[in-house]
Amino acid sequence: ELTLDCSNVTLTDAATEFYIAVAPQAFEKGFEVEAHTAAGVKVFNKGTATTITRNVVTTMATTEIDVITPISDVTTAGTYAVTGTVVAVGTQAYIIADNTGAMMVYHYNNGRTVGENITISGEVTIYQKADGTSWGTPQFAKEATVVVNSTDNTWTYNPSVLDAAGVDAMLTETLSKEVEFAGKLVVSGNYINIEIAGATVQGSVKYVDNNAYADLNGKDVTVKGYFVGVSSKKYVNVLPYSIEAKESVNPEPEPEPE
């Protein structure tokens, strides 16, 4: 492996060409350039020289891949590339996270697996209903390009535990957020809602196979997952990674009279 240290070289964002003079042996297996700029890390793919002559500077053909953006910085629509770990998977979407935040990828039958580390690039959109009653968080669509970097990675979950007031406060959120709340699961037609005592809104489980939770209908549950938007200013939408029935506590028997 050959490493060329260019730490003392400064490139402006306006630069369009980069030249390297190296010995022919360096090109036997190609090369890879990673340029750190104020805008982020730009990764260039491996290329090969068309002409190899000792002591002659050869212009290399490279293709710029992407600027890797921290997920927390993806707050507006546009073209982005992020690297993150798949932390929740549904039938219609999945969630990726890095150490700065999380976001959704809308992709039906996506085939993703929790623990995959991926780099995804493409257009990010943010759904907003015209009357302002419903909105989503920033999301990639199925057309985005996905590269799997590794699999079977571990992830430490750390949800914000919400009481009734905390769930109501989610009506002001615009970015995905890991949350946990408790309530009664109610299957209503094609929807799974969570009735939360004391809250003015309800939780709504989104982008999953509803049949997987049919046996929890009418039961008190704890939901852990990622906030992905609001519907009708009444439902706080969550793509879950865990929904579990709360253990019932049997009351202490009354003592028998003496």
Side-chain angles (χ1 to χ4, degrees), residues 61-76:
T62 64
T63 301
E64 181 179 338
I65 298 176
D66 288 301
V67 175
I68 305 301
T69 303
I71 290 178
S72 63
D73 289 347
V74 183
T75 59
T76 59

PDB file of all heavy atoms in Angstrom, residues 61-76:
ATOM      1  N   ALA A  61      -7.466  10.450 -14.783  1.00  0.00           N
ATOM      2  CA  ALA A  61      -8.911  10.557 -14.944  1.00  0.00           C
ATOM      3  C   ALA A  61      -9.581  10.029 -13.682  1.00  0.00           C
ATOM      4  O   ALA A  61      -9.450   8.862 -13.344  1.00  0.00           O
ATOM      5  CB  ALA A  61      -9.377   9.749 -16.151  1.00  0.00           C
ATOM      6  N   THR A  62     -10.273  10.905 -12.948  1.00  0.00           N
ATOM      7  CA  THR A  62     -10.962  10.495 -11.733  1.00  0.00           C
ATOM      8  C   THR A  62     -12.409  10.949 -11.808  1.00  0.00           C
ATOM      9  O   THR A  62     -12.767  11.841 -12.554  1.00  0.00           O
ATOM     10  CB  THR A  62     -10.326  11.119 -10.476  1.00  0.00           C
ATOM     11  OG1 THR A  62     -10.481  12.533 -10.538  1.00  0.00           O
ATOM     12  CG2 THR A  62      -8.856  10.779 -10.387  1.00  0.00           C
ATOM     13  N   THR A  63     -13.227  10.297 -11.020  1.00  0.00           N
ATOM     14  CA  THR A  63     -14.642  10.658 -10.952  1.00  0.00           C
ATOM     15  C   THR A  63     -14.983  11.014  -9.519  1.00  0.00           C
ATOM     16  O   THR A  63     -14.819  10.193  -8.615  1.00  0.00           O
ATOM     17  CB  THR A  63     -15.538   9.491 -11.416  1.00  0.00           C
ATOM     18  OG1 THR A  63     -15.179   9.159 -12.745  1.00  0.00           O
ATOM     19  CG2 THR A  63     -17.008   9.887 -11.361  1.00  0.00           C
ATOM     20  N   GLU A  64     -15.452  12.215  -9.311  1.00  0.00           N
ATOM     21  CA  GLU A  64     -15.833  12.608  -7.963  1.00  0.00           C
ATOM     22  C   GLU A  64     -17.094  11.866  -7.570  1.00  0.00           C
ATOM     23  O   GLU A  64     -18.078  11.830  -8.301  1.00  0.00           O
ATOM     24  CB  GLU A  64     -16.089  14.112  -7.895  1.00  0.00           C
ATOM     25  CG  GLU A  64     -16.472  14.579  -6.497  1.00  0.00           C
ATOM     26  CD  GLU A  64     -16.707  16.071  -6.431  1.00  0.00           C
ATOM     27  OE1 GLU A  64     -16.193  16.804  -7.292  1.00  0.00           O
ATOM     28  OE2 GLU A  64     -17.424  16.492  -5.521  1.00  0.00           O
ATOM     29  N   ILE A  65     -17.074  11.244  -6.403  1.00  0.00           N
ATOM     30  CA  ILE A  65     -18.234  10.487  -5.959  1.00  0.00           C
ATOM     31  C   ILE A  65     -19.168  11.383  -5.140  1.00  0.00           C
ATOM     32  O   ILE A  65     -20.289  11.657  -5.553  1.00  0.00           O
ATOM     33  CB  ILE A  65     -17.806   9.257  -5.130  1.00  0.00           C
ATOM     34  CG1 ILE A  65     -16.968   8.329  -6.015  1.00  0.00           C
ATOM     35  CG2 ILE A  65     -19.014   8.520  -4.598  1.00  0.00           C
ATOM     36  CD1 ILE A  65     -16.411   7.138  -5.296  1.00  0.00           C
ATOM     37  N   ASP A  66     -18.754  11.858  -4.001  1.00  0.00           N
ATOM     38  CA  ASP A  66     -19.681  12.598  -3.160  1.00  0.00           C
ATOM     39  C   ASP A  66     -18.979  13.365  -2.052  1.00  0.00           C
ATOM     40  O   ASP A  66     -17.854  13.053  -1.689  1.00  0.00           O
ATOM     41  CB  ASP A  66     -20.700  11.654  -2.487  1.00  0.00           C
ATOM     42  CG  ASP A  66     -21.714  11.124  -3.461  1.00  0.00           C
ATOM     43  OD1 ASP A  66     -22.414  11.941  -4.068  1.00  0.00           O
ATOM     44  OD2 ASP A  66     -21.779   9.901  -3.645  1.00  0.00           O
ATOM     45  N   VAL A  67     -19.685  14.353  -1.536  1.00  0.00           N
ATOM     46  CA  VAL A  67     -19.318  14.995  -0.280  1.00  0.00           C
ATOM     47  C   VAL A  67     -20.133  14.316   0.799  1.00  0.00           C
ATOM     48  O   VAL A  67     -21.357  14.309   0.747  1.00  0.00           O
ATOM     49  CB  VAL A  67     -19.620  16.503  -0.309  1.00  0.00           C
ATOM     50  CG1 VAL A  67     -19.337  17.121   1.054  1.00  0.00           C
ATOM     51  CG2 VAL A  67     -18.785  17.193  -1.375  1.00  0.00           C
ATOM     52  N   ILE A  68     -19.469  13.710   1.779  1.00  0.00           N
ATOM     53  CA  ILE A  68     -20.165  13.009   2.850  1.00  0.00           C
ATOM     54  C   ILE A  68     -20.626  14.027   3.893  1.00  0.00           C
ATOM     55  O   ILE A  68     -19.822  14.754   4.466  1.00  0.00           O
ATOM     56  CB  ILE A  68     -19.263  11.951   3.500  1.00  0.00           C
ATOM     57  CG1 ILE A  68     -18.720  10.989   2.440  1.00  0.00           C
ATOM     58  CG2 ILE A  68     -20.018  11.198   4.587  1.00  0.00           C
ATOM     59  CD1 ILE A  68     -19.789  10.252   1.663  1.00  0.00           C
ATOM     60  N   THR A  69     -21.918  14.075   4.118  1.00  0.00           N
ATOM     61  CA  THR A  69     -22.521  15.055   5.026  1.00  0.00           C
ATOM     62  C   THR A  69     -22.988  14.371   6.306  1.00  0.00           C
ATOM     63  O   THR A  69     -23.624  13.318   6.236  1.00  0.00           O
ATOM     64  CB  THR A  69     -23.735  15.735   4.359  1.00  0.00           C
ATOM     65  OG1 THR A  69     -23.321  16.347   3.143  1.00  0.00           O
ATOM     66  CG2 THR A  69     -24.359  16.781   5.270  1.00  0.00           C
ATOM     67  N   PRO A  70     -22.701  14.937   7.475  1.00  0.00           N
ATOM     68  CA  PRO A  70     -23.280  14.392   8.711  1.00  0.00           C
ATOM     69  C   PRO A  70     -24.805  14.441   8.629  1.00  0.00           C
ATOM     70  O   PRO A  70     -25.375  15.413   8.122  1.00  0.00           O
ATOM     71  CB  PRO A  70     -22.749  15.332   9.801  1.00  0.00           C
ATOM     72  CG  PRO A  70     -21.522  15.959   9.201  1.00  0.00           C
ATOM     73  CD  PRO A  70     -21.805  16.084   7.738  1.00  0.00           C
ATOM     74  N   ILE A  71     -25.470  13.417   9.127  1.00  0.00           N
ATOM     75  CA  ILE A  71     -26.926  13.352   9.006  1.00  0.00           C
ATOM     76  C   ILE A  71     -27.601  14.548   9.655  1.00  0.00           C
ATOM     77  O   ILE A  71     -28.605  15.065   9.141  1.00  0.00           O
ATOM     78  CB  ILE A  71     -27.444  12.025   9.588  1.00  0.00           C
ATOM     79  CG1 ILE A  71     -27.027  10.864   8.677  1.00  0.00           C
ATOM     80  CG2 ILE A  71     -28.962  12.053   9.775  1.00  0.00           C
ATOM     81  CD1 ILE A  71     -27.440   9.492   9.170  1.00  0.00           C
ATOM     82  N   SER A  72     -27.072  15.024  10.754  1.00  0.00           N
ATOM     83  CA  SER A  72     -27.699  16.161  11.438  1.00  0.00           C
ATOM     84  C   SER A  72     -27.693  17.425  10.596  1.00  0.00           C
ATOM     85  O   SER A  72     -28.467  18.355  10.855  1.00  0.00           O
ATOM     86  CB  SER A  72     -27.004  16.432  12.773  1.00  0.00           C
ATOM     87  OG  SER A  72     -25.644  16.793  12.563  1.00  0.00           O
ATOM     88  N   ASP A  73     -26.824  17.485   9.578  1.00  0.00           N
ATOM     89  CA  ASP A  73     -26.758  18.662   8.709  1.00  0.00           C
ATOM     90  C   ASP A  73     -27.719  18.580   7.529  1.00  0.00           C
ATOM     91  O   ASP A  73     -27.820  19.530   6.751  1.00  0.00           O
ATOM     92  CB  ASP A  73     -25.328  18.860   8.181  1.00  0.00           C
ATOM     93  CG  ASP A  73     -24.368  19.320   9.266  1.00  0.00           C
ATOM     94  OD1 ASP A  73     -24.838  19.724  10.342  1.00  0.00           O
ATOM     95  OD2 ASP A  73     -23.149  19.264   9.034  1.00  0.00           O
ATOM     96  N   VAL A  74     -28.401  17.447   7.378  1.00  0.00           N
ATOM     97  CA  VAL A  74     -29.369  17.303   6.293  1.00  0.00           C
ATOM     98  C   VAL A  74     -30.719  17.834   6.808  1.00  0.00           C
ATOM     99  O   VAL A  74     -31.545  17.095   7.329  1.00  0.00           O
ATOM    100  CB  VAL A  74     -29.498  15.839   5.834  1.00  0.00           C
ATOM    101  CG1 VAL A  74     -30.467  15.726   4.657  1.00  0.00           C
ATOM    102  CG2 VAL A  74     -28.134  15.287   5.438  1.00  0.00           C
ATOM    103  N   THR A  75     -30.925  19.119   6.666  1.00  0.00           N
ATOM    104  CA  THR A  75     -32.120  19.766   7.205  1.00  0.00           C
ATOM    105  C   THR A  75     -33.009  20.371   6.131  1.00  0.00           C
ATOM    106  O   THR A  75     -34.123  20.794   6.425  1.00  0.00           O
ATOM    107  CB  THR A  75     -31.727  20.872   8.201  1.00  0.00           C
ATOM    108  OG1 THR A  75     -30.911  21.837   7.527  1.00  0.00           O
ATOM    109  CG2 THR A  75     -30.956  20.293   9.378  1.00  0.00           C
ATOM    110  N   THR A  76     -32.513  20.423   4.903  1.00  0.00           N
ATOM    111  CA  THR A  76     -33.287  20.975   3.793  1.00  0.00           C
ATOM    112  C   THR A  76     -33.224  20.021   2.613  1.00  0.00           C
ATOM    113  O   THR A  76     -32.365  19.144   2.544  1.00  0.00           O
ATOM    114  CB  THR A  76     -32.739  22.344   3.364  1.00  0.00           C
ATOM    115  OG1 THR A  76     -31.354  22.197   2.974  1.00  0.00           O
ATOM    116  CG2 THR A  76     -32.837  23.361   4.499  1.00  0.00           C
TER     117      THR A  76
END
